[in-house]
Amino acid sequence: FFASSAINLHFFLGVFLHFITGADSLRIVRDGKQNCPVNTGELRNSIQHSIEEEGGTLAGYVGSNLDYAPYVHQGTGIYAKNGNGRKQVPWAYYSEKDGKRHVTRGTKPHPFLQDAVDANR
């Protein structure tokens, strides 16, 4: 389900998404999509859930298979959660979208799934 070369949010955020029921996972998906920042809608549309059996116990997972999802969720650069961002700031990148060079110090986190989990505890 989340397997690919993409980083999934379950792996990135840890096991807090583990051991949720089907109904819980649907509520977290719903609230996560409502909380998710939207540019093109691709990230919001990628939020999914799965229920798997692990050793006789049902485990629910919620996440995204997009490579950039963890960076939106956790932030980057000087703003990254837990100080896990790039320390060499600012840095520059080229955007194919607008054909320009941009300089950044990072982006603030948007913990849309963590907020959804917290709201459904």
Side-chain angles (χ1 to χ4, degrees), residues 13-59:
L13 298 175
V15 296
F16 74 88
L17 296 177
H18 196 68
F19 299 119
I20 55 178
T21 67
D24 290 338
S25 64
L26 289 174
R27 283 191 292 274
I28 293 168
V29 167
R30 178 199 65 210
D31 292 352
K33 287 183 176 193
Q34 288 174 351
N35 298 340
C36 185
V38 177
N39 186 3
T40 65
E42 181 181 33
L43 178 57
R44 178 174 45 193
N45 292 334
S46 74
I47 299 170
Q48 299 177 31
H49 79 285
S50 69
I51 306 294
E52 301 172 11
E53 182 187 353
E54 296 181 358
T57 303
L58 291 179

Side-chain angles (χ1 to χ4, degrees), residues 36-109:
C36 185
V38 177
N39 186 3
T40 65
E42 181 181 33
L43 178 57
R44 178 174 45 193
N45 292 334
S46 74
I47 299 170
Q48 299 177 31
H49 79 285
S50 69
I51 306 294
E52 301 172 11
E53 182 187 353
E54 296 181 358
T57 303
L58 291 179
Y61 297 93
V62 176
S64 169
N65 62 351
L66 295 179
D67 291 336
Y68 65 88
Y71 305 111
V72 173
H73 196 277
Q74 299 297 101
T76 62
I78 63 172
Y79 306 107
K81 290 184 94 168
N82 303 321
N84 292 332
R86 181 185 292 207
K87 306 296 185 238
Q88 297 81 25
V89 292
W91 72 90
Y93 67 94
Y94 175 80
S95 170
E96 292 184 15
K97 184 175 179 180
D98 65 10
K100 296 181 181 178
R101 181 177 175 267
H102 298 271
V103 176
T104 184
R105 298 178 72 77
T107 59
K108 293 182 179 179

